[in-house]
Amino acid sequence: MQIDLHTHSTASDGRLAPQELIKRASEAGVEVLALTDHDGVDGLIEARKAAQAADMQFVNGIELSVSWNKRTIHIVGLNFQPDYEPLQRGIAGLQDFRERRAREMAQKLDKAGIPGAYEGAQSFSDGNMLGRMHFANFLVANGYAKNIRHVFKHYLVANKPGHVSGDWATMEEAVSWVTGAGGIAVIAHPARYKLTRTKLRKLIKDFMQAGGQAIEVVSGSHDVNEVKTMAAHAADFDLYASAGSDFHDPDFPWIKLGKLPPLPRQCKPVWDLFL
Ligand code: AMP
Ligand code: MN
Ligand code: MN
Ligand code: MN
């Protein structure tokens, strides 16, 4: 079965509207999908409706931004009740920070000789909350960078123009918002943080201490070896394993819908908890 539990829409920094995402995923053979927009749940109703029409199983999702030991870590929440008050309040706080950060990023870019970034980024966000991807689109469209990857090397990251440090939720907060809402918390793309083995194990321990139950083993941003490493960590800590593409944009050739490899055989699939 083709299961994808990590995708984005225009409700955060994805390029497709929720219903377009569902259509494309369905055509690509995805049978179960979670929409996991950054720090928001605004796309879930539209996506669920489209999934019903396409005869696809839909799972409520979110990707929460967390500050942990001075780093930004992403925690995916799956199969929760979006109207849970503490989750709603938590999301509102993260979105406030996103707005303040966007203003500050634009000011910093302006000082670096790049005017108009706030309005420029907004023209790519369709009125939705602003993320670095929208600034990246603006920088590429105006010739400041040749592509998105170039942006995330030369702008908006530590010690580069337009960088603002994250001030996100704590691990305890983010995990409790998801579990309190009846959902399952998952460490997103663990290999992307480039942590040493010791630090990664510390992250997993802190996450489990907070009530987290799963890690992404198969991810669009994991290579074959990273899948093996994360499967070993999942087994070691008796965590459930998740799988998600982290799809954002049909024009990003490195991540496609409907093409995820299966979980390694020793893994306990996280979807056993809700399918
Ligand atoms: P934000 O949550 O607004 O700080 O933005 C983080 C998002 O930027 C991620 O979810 C990705 O969509 C995107 N991003 C970060 N680093 C890269 C990269 N190296 N290449 C492409 N996209 C990236
Ligand atoms: Mn993103
Ligand atoms: Mn992420
Ligand atoms: Mn993501």
Side-chain angles (χ1 to χ4, degrees):
M1 199 155 52
Q2 192 50 236
I3 298 178
D4 190 338
L5 300 178
H6 188 154
T7 64
H8 295 274
S9 76
T10 47
S12 66
D13 60 0
R15 261 287 284 289
L16 303 180
Q19 59 168 335
E20 295 171 327
L21 170 74
I22 296 292
K23 181 163 178 285
R24 201 177 175 94
S26 174
E27 284 165 4
V30 176
E31 295 160 271
V32 181
L33 179 134
L35 176 63
T36 55
D37 275 310
H38 298 284
D39 306 323
V41 292
D42 288 353
L44 296 182
I45 289 174
E46 181 186 326
R48 178 172 292 281
K49 207 169 133 212
Q52 268 159 8
D55 206 19
M56 182 195 278
Q57 276 207 61
F58 184 75
V59 179
N60 286 340
I62 190 166
E63 182 172 18
L64 291 164
S65 308
V66 165
S67 295
W68 177 83
N69 283 358
K70 305 207 166 99
R71 297 164 187 275
T72 297
I73 301 290
H74 286 170
I75 299 295
V76 160
L78 297 174
N79 199 46
F80 54 86
Q81 290 293 336
D83 56 7
Y84 178 59
E85 253 321 302
L87 173 70
Q88 288 286 341
R89 279 199 303 272
I91 292 172
L94 291 170
Q95 293 186 7
D96 275 354
F97 174 65
R98 278 186 178 277
E99 177 58 25
R100 277 183 277 129
R101 184 187 67 156
R103 302 260 178 211
E104 208 178 316
M105 288 193 316
Q107 265 171 21
K108 290 192 164 176
L109 287 170
D110 189 66
K111 283 198 183 118
I114 302 175
Y118 185 86
E119 294 72 22
Q122 257 187 337
S123 74
F124 288 95
S125 83
D126 212 15
N128 290 299
M129 70 175 141
L130 287 167
R132 281 186 294 163
M133 189 72 89
H134 304 115
F135 283 84
N137 284 323
F138 160 78
L139 291 167
V140 172
N142 288 276
Y144 295 107
K146 61 175 185 284
N147 57 38
I148 299 284
R149 288 187 168 198
H150 184 103
V151 173
F152 285 102
K153 252 177 132 166
H154 300 284
Y155 299 95
L156 316 180
V157 294
N159 307 314
K160 302 287 175 188
H163 178 252
V164 180
S165 321
D167 182 12
W168 307 110
T170 66
M171 180 66 81
E172 292 72 24
E173 286 169 340
V175 172
S176 74
W177 298 336
V178 171
T179 57
I184 297 144
V186 185
I187 299 177
H189 42 62
R192 272 249 297 271
Y193 311 120
K194 304 285 174 221
L195 298 169
T196 61
R197 183 183 160 80
T198 310
K199 286 228 171 83
L200 178 59
R201 292 175 70 86
K202 174 82 170 92
L203 171 66
I204 293 173
K205 281 179 195 156
D206 287 358
F207 166 75
M208 291 180 77
Q209 183 82 40
Q213 284 184 278
I215 63 172
E216 282 181 355
V217 169
V218 165
S219 160
S221 57
H222 285 173
D223 65 26
V224 179
N225 279 320
E226 290 166 340
V227 170
K228 282 189 192 146
T229 305
M230 297 311 156
H233 284 303
D236 225 21
F237 287 96
D238 199 27
L239 285 161
Y240 286 91
S242 190
S245 62
D246 206 3
F247 176 85
H248 280 76
D249 187 325
D251 289 341
F252 295 173
W254 58 92
I255 291 180
K256 292 206 160 54
L257 288 166
K259 298 276 185 229
L260 288 173
L263 282 177
R265 255 195 308 138
Q266 80 266 32
C267 289
K268 295 190 298 179
V270 71
W271 49 88
D272 283 356
L273 294 169
F274 51 81
L275 288 189

